[in-house]
Amino acid sequence: MIGIHSAHRRLAELTLKAKSTGGNYDRLSAVEKQELAHCLTVNLELVRKLDSLKSLAFVAYEQGDMVWHEEICERLEEMEAGLL
């Protein structure tokens, strides 16, 4: 199953609205622009956390530390489950 975080859904909605008004984000209201900035920040943090955990999982695997690797994979699974 592919999870879609609420920030990603809102980004899609705002993009659709901008596209329907000529593809110009300048036509979004001030509140919508603030929402867009907020959603982009949330997305940035999600990507950073996921990438960091995936990098750590790789390091743990390469070091042969399967206990650490499993702990990291569990955290990844929890994060990904929270995206639903």
Side-chain angles (χ1 to χ4, degrees):
M1 176 181 280
I2 297 174
I4 298 178
H5 191 275
S6 58
H8 297 133
R9 185 164 307 282
R10 187 62 181 144
L11 280 170
E13 292 168 354
L14 291 168
T15 300
L16 180 61
K17 183 172 183 179
K19 284 184 150 246
S20 70
T21 60
N24 192 341
Y25 289 94
D26 291 336
R27 293 188 180 172
L28 295 176
S29 71
V31 171
E32 289 169 330
K33 288 177 187 175
Q34 286 178 329
E35 284 184 274
L36 182 63
H38 173 74
C39 289
L40 289 169
T41 300
V42 169
N43 182 65
L44 170 66
E45 291 307 314
L46 284 169
V47 169
R48 279 184 175 171
K49 287 177 186 176
L50 287 169
D51 285 352
S52 177
L53 287 173
K54 288 177 181 181
S55 293
L56 282 175
F58 178 74
V59 169
Y61 179 81
E62 286 292 306
Q63 294 297 316
D65 190 336
M66 293 302 118
V67 172
W68 186 33
H69 182 262
E70 182 61 32
E71 289 172 3
I72 296 166
C73 289
E74 286 174 13
R75 288 177 58 193
L76 274 166
E77 288 174 9
E78 288 171 6
M79 273 194 72
E80 289 172 349
L83 295 176
L84 302 176

